[in-house]
Amino acid sequence: MLDPMAQPDLFGSLGQPNLALRCQQLRQLIAQYDHEYYVLDAPSVPDSEYDLVYRDLQDIERQHPNLITPDSPTQRVSGSAANAFNSITHRQAMLSLNNAFEDSELEAFDKRVREALGQEQVEYAVEPKFDGLAITLTYENGIFTQGATRGDGYTGEDVTHNLRTVRSIPMRLNCENAPKLLEVRGEVLMFKRDFEKLNQAQLAKGEKLFANPRNAAAGSLRQLDAKITATRPLSFFAYGLGVADGAPALGSHSMAMDYLANLYFPVSEVRQLVMGVTGLRDYYQKIGQLRNELPFDIDGVVYKVNQFNQQNELGFVSRAPRWAIAHKFPAQEALTVVEDINVQVGRTGAITPVARLAPVFVGGVTVTNATLHNEDEVRRKDVHIGDTVSVRRAGDVIPEVVSVVLERRLADARRFEMPTACPECGSHILKQADEAVARCTGGLFCPAQRKQAITHFASRRAMDIEGLGEKLVDQLVEANLVHTLADIYQLNLETLSNLDRMATKSAQNILDALDHSKITTLARFIYALGMRNVGEATAKDLAKHFGNLSALMQADAASLLTVNDVGPVVAESISNFLGEQHNQDVIRALQHAGISWPETEGKQLATGHLLGKSFVLTGTLPTLSRDAAKEMIEAVGGKVSGSVSKKTDFVVAGSDAGSKLDKAQELGLVILDEAGLLALLA
């Protein structure tokens, strides 16, 4: 492995030839690091070391643009957005595969192959059938020059710029004597974990969610702007070769796959060689069992006659090869009817609409329920009670409603309305403006949230009740011994000793820990209550500001906004939580159980004509320092924040104001100079 730290100084006495060599070494090193990280999932260096090598290469190329090459990793995303994709005629057709769904179809395929070749048994190369987008990559003299989609098999779309952003695709082949021309066939896809993260990001931005990893991968690869594609977590797997002019002699598909792996292409790790139809059946069963554990989606397996000379002898029929077939898994989507929609309450109080379905067999099981995620998702998909819907199930993942068949909507189909009260405890259901998920506000009382609330309350940074972990909490709740937080302080030695794996000594240790936890601080107690958006730092700020629990309990939203780093969202969370009668009752019961802390008078509550108004300071003001401006704003009840959002009331801009001013202008916020600020404060 190259050592970047052992190379000569980049800009000292090096001439152009040495700089060119240095660039080549850095590119090789980055290619190696990319292969380890994106293909092997086993990085050999930390991100900081990778960044150092990458910056070295950037610095040289910036000062010496003539040294930039098309295969440089710095060129993965470059240029402007395209107006449309150009068509590319494939040098060698990308034909589709015939499908087998039944065992009899598999037997018929093997019989045709054996009879055509005149053999009793045939060796097959077998591999998963990736559920992504088929592409072809062209390398000329070892350099990636062009990439295209499969299209109709004969003509595809030029997506070269977008494929350059996929870091598992090598920009240069890892070999000394590169083929004159090499076409690599494979699949662009999105790993399951990356798909979930992408949809979470889409949800946070209020943008459309992707239906599945395949759609996400296809949509990402066909972006006209490669910079957008670069933000999408795409991956690539090679599964074959097209034209191979100048490549080593390869006698079989398995040899071709090993060759591609040596060139740093990702290839399936569960590919195999098997003999005869029995080997095909066994592999199908094996991959079917592994399917849910694989990090990417597959929709079947592919069988190929391994030897190339036998493939050539078998030839093609219509648009498919005679020597290969795809054995598809049972469908993971099916149509059914939504008989009702009700809600479930999660451990954190999240309210999730659930579709109650007419039983349907999908993904190998009978499905009667499917998640609708949240109210916004119900509206986006336009799901009504009585609708015919497409339902997907993938392994152990909770079934979900994919889409509605609007053509089958009945006249009496009913719109779903989110309830206003929690079905578990009757507390109010509220949804904050910045969240898609509605939540029950009865955090300390709600049965659905009981385990979560107690576990958090007992955690080390909260009340620090040693020994009261998740397993013990599960036992206490499931045995109906604890209903609210206050009940844990009523436990006795006999009750605890009778629990599973709880001896007398262990039980006494728990009681001692409970007794020790009663002397705490107000900040720990506030944090232990588990109010949404209230972490340790905010709990400390609340304790410092109000000094005692009574003042906090009586504070309205405007008063809460005067607390350091408490914005509208946090203030709303606190106000909703403390305003719930059930939660007030539990807090009083905890105090009656003996929990106490030192109290103070707290800070003087701010007042003034700008109470609760949010300000952001940016740039340099003519006469006021930033601290002085902040003190003047806070003196009349205002609050100074470090970032601009649509909830910001005023942006005070001085000279050299940067991106904060730009964002304020984009959002149409009120922008003040120093004179405007002084006038407002007066």
Side-chain angles (χ1 to χ4, degrees):
M1 179 173 63
L2 294 172
D3 181 3
M5 305 309 293
Q7 304 303 318
D9 178 68
L10 294 182
F11 305 113
S13 59
L14 290 178
Q16 286 283 322
N18 283 339
L19 281 175
L21 175 62
R22 175 62 172 162
C23 284
Q24 181 182 351
Q25 293 171 332
L26 291 172
R27 288 171 191 141
Q28 290 175 351
L29 194 60
I30 292 170
Q32 174 186 318
Y33 290 164
D34 281 344
H35 180 67
E36 292 168 347
Y37 187 94
Y38 294 102
V39 179
L40 303 180
D41 197 22
S44 62
V45 295
D47 290 350
S48 58
E49 180 67 22
Y50 180 95
D51 293 341
L52 178 64
V53 176
Y54 194 90
R55 283 197 301 271
D56 282 351
L57 179 59
Q58 279 184 315
D59 289 342
I60 298 177
E61 292 182 343
R62 188 180 300 113
Q63 296 191 25
H64 304 276
N66 60 302
L67 296 179
I68 298 175
T69 61
D71 66 306
S72 176
T74 63
Q75 303 303 299
R76 282 194 180 273
V77 186
S78 61
S80 57
N83 293 322
F85 296 114
N86 295 322
S87 294
I88 289 180
T89 300
H90 300 309
R91 294 180 177 85
Q92 189 177 98
M94 298 181 68
L95 301 182
S96 57
L97 297 177
N98 288 326
N99 294 323
F101 294 94
E102 304 293 337
D103 197 56
S104 59
E105 295 172 299
L106 178 62
E107 292 175 352
F109 163 73
D110 177 63
K111 182 180 179 181
R112 288 193 301 271
V113 169
R114 286 188 291 106
E115 290 178 347
L117 295 176
Q119 295 191 0
E120 292 186 5
Q121 264 199 334
V122 175
E123 182 184 54
Y124 293 100
V126 293
E127 57 203 20
K129 185 178 183 298
F130 300 107
D131 192 13
L133 187 71
I135 62 163
T136 181
L137 308 173
T138 300
Y139 290 81
E140 298 180 37
N141 297 315
I143 305 298
F144 174 55
T145 57
Q146 191 175 71
T149 61
R150 177 183 177 276
D152 62 3
Y154 298 96
T155 303
E157 292 178 317
D158 186 346
V159 288
T160 306
H161 289 302
N162 292 352
L163 288 170
R164 288 183 187 278
T165 72
V166 182
R167 292 190 174 271
S168 51
I169 294 177
M171 300 284 278
R172 173 190 287 270
L173 298 180
N174 178 46
C175 60
E176 292 295 330
N177 299 312
K180 180 180 179 182
L181 179 67
L182 187 72
E183 285 186 326
V184 179
R185 302 287 165 79
E187 202 98 354
V188 166
L189 49 79
M190 194 173 290
F191 281 73
K192 295 173 184 176
R193 64 173 186 268
D194 294 330
F195 171 73
E196 293 299 327
K197 291 178 182 177
L198 175 62
N199 261 354
Q200 289 171 8
Q202 293 288 103
L203 188 63
K205 293 185 291 186
E207 297 181 3
K208 181 180 178 181
L209 300 182
F210 293 99
N212 53 57
R214 186 187 189 283
N215 287 358
S220 300
L221 190 60
R222 298 192 72 258
Q223 292 290 325
L224 293 176
D225 188 349
K227 291 183 175 65
I228 297 177
T229 305
T231 66
R232 305 285 174 79
L234 296 177
S235 297
F236 171 76
F237 279 92
Y239 57 62
L241 288 174
V243 175
D245 183 3
L250 302 169
S252 67
H253 177 75
S254 59
M255 291 176 65
M257 297 303 291
D258 291 341
Y259 175 62
L260 288 172
N262 290 332
L263 294 180
Y264 275 12
F265 286 98
V267 295
S268 172
E269 294 182 354
V270 290
R271 67 190 190 279
Q272 281 184 224
L273 290 177
V274 301
M275 293 299 297
V277 72
T278 301
L280 298 181
R281 285 199 199 96
D282 291 344
Y283 184 76
Y284 180 81
Q285 294 297 326
K286 172 187 174 181
I287 297 300
Q289 294 171 358
L290 285 175
R291 183 182 186 185
N292 300 330
E293 300 174 18
L294 294 174
F296 43 77
D297 282 343
I298 62 174
D299 56 3
V301 295
V302 176
Y303 310 133
K304 301 175 182 177
V305 173
N306 187 41
Q307 298 299 321
F308 284 156
N309 63 333
Q310 293 180 342
Q311 290 184 10
N312 294 333
E313 184 177 347
L314 290 164
F316 301 84
V317 55
S318 184
R319 294 166 61 89
R322 287 192 175 96
W323 44 265
I325 196 169
H327 194 174
K328 303 295 284 290
F329 289 130
Q332 292 189 294
E333 286 192 21
L335 295 181
T336 187
V337 174
V338 177
E339 296 181 334
D340 198 2
I341 299 176
N342 50 38
V343 299
Q344 290 181 343
V345 188
R347 289 167 61 93
T348 62
I351 306 295
T352 303
V354 177
R356 306 303 180 186
L357 308 170
V360 60
F361 191 77
V362 57
V365 300
T366 299
V367 170
T368 56
N369 303 310
T371 181
L372 289 165
H373 299 291
N374 54 64
E375 186 178 15
D376 291 345
E377 189 73 352
V378 177
R379 300 287 175 254
R380 185 182 72 82
K381 293 179 178 176
D382 193 25
V383 182
H384 284 47
I385 299 168
D387 276 348
T388 297
V389 295
S390 176
V391 178
R392 177 192 298 123
R393 180 185 182 275
D396 295 328
V397 177
I398 299 171
E400 66 172 343
V401 172
V402 179
S403 59
V404 176
V405 183
L406 292 175
E407 296 80 8
R408 299 191 188 183
R409 174 165 289 171
L410 303 176
D412 61 351
R414 292 182 289 118
R415 176 184 167 93
F416 166 75
E417 298 295 341
M418 179 68 78
T420 58
C422 173
E424 296 285 345
C425 69
S427 300
H428 294 90
I429 291 176
L430 294 174
K431 185 175 78 168
Q432 292 182 333
D434 66 333
E435 286 194 328
V437 177
R439 298 182 186 275
C440 165
T441 56
L444 302 186
F445 177 80
C446 182
Q449 302 176 66
R450 194 174 294 157
K451 291 181 181 179
Q452 176 79 8
I454 297 171
T455 302
H456 173 76
F457 185 83
S459 63
R460 184 170 62 87
R461 296 183 181 277
M463 299 302 289
D464 193 19
I465 306 174
E466 189 174 351
L468 189 57
E470 286 188 16
K471 292 183 179 179
L472 180 55
V473 170
D474 286 346
Q475 285 194 70
L476 292 171
V477 172
E478 289 166 9
N480 215 27
L481 296 173
V482 173
H483 299 90
T484 72
L485 296 179
D487 291 341
I488 63 175
Y489 289 98
Q490 306 306 317
L491 295 170
N492 55 51
L493 187 62
E494 181 182 1
T495 299
L496 287 171
S497 299
N498 288 330
L499 296 174
D500 291 342
R501 292 174 293 180
M502 182 64 70
T504 301
K505 183 176 180 181
S506 300
Q508 186 58 55
N509 289 340
I510 295 294
L511 293 176
D512 291 343
L514 284 166
D515 192 57
H516 183 265
S517 73
K518 291 180 180 179
I519 306 301
T520 186
T521 65
L522 178 57
R524 277 182 174 269
F525 184 78
I526 293 171
Y527 174 64
L529 294 179
M531 289 183 280
R532 184 151 187 83
N533 298 314
V534 177
E536 288 181 82
T538 302
K540 290 177 182 177
D541 288 337
L542 290 168
K544 183 177 180 181
H545 187 94
F546 291 103
N548 60 82
L549 184 62
S550 178
L552 173 60
M553 298 282 285
Q554 295 172 18
D556 57 17
S559 298
L560 289 167
L561 285 170
T562 64
V563 179
N564 181 46
D565 283 339
V566 172
V569 172
V570 179
E572 184 182 11
S573 293
I574 298 169
S575 183
N576 290 337
F577 184 95
L578 296 179
E580 198 67 54
Q581 185 62 48
H582 298 314
N583 293 336
Q584 295 174 17
D585 294 341
V586 174
I587 291 171
R588 279 194 291 269
L590 287 169
Q591 289 181 288
H592 291 157
I595 296 177
S596 62
W597 51 81
E599 295 195 340
T600 66
E601 293 183 1
K603 290 184 177 180
Q604 181 67 36
L605 294 183
T607 59
H609 63 287
L610 295 179
L611 185 63
K613 297 295 183 182
S614 175
F615 289 74
V616 171
L617 302 174
T618 181
T620 304
L621 299 178
T623 64
L624 292 175
S625 68
R626 186 161 297 195
D627 287 340
K630 181 179 179 182
E631 288 180 9
M632 295 173 69
I633 291 169
E634 291 176 343
V636 290
K639 179 185 173 183
V640 177
S641 173
S643 59
V644 176
S645 73
K646 60 183 178 181
K647 295 178 181 177
T648 302
D649 294 298
F650 303 100
V651 173
V652 182
S655 60
D656 299 324
S659 59
K660 292 179 182 178
L661 177 58
D662 296 336
K663 186 172 182 180
Q665 291 170 334
E666 289 177 11
L667 295 174
L669 302 179
V670 177
I671 300 172
L672 305 172
D673 56 11
E674 182 179 297
L677 172 64
L678 294 174
L680 182 65
L681 296 175

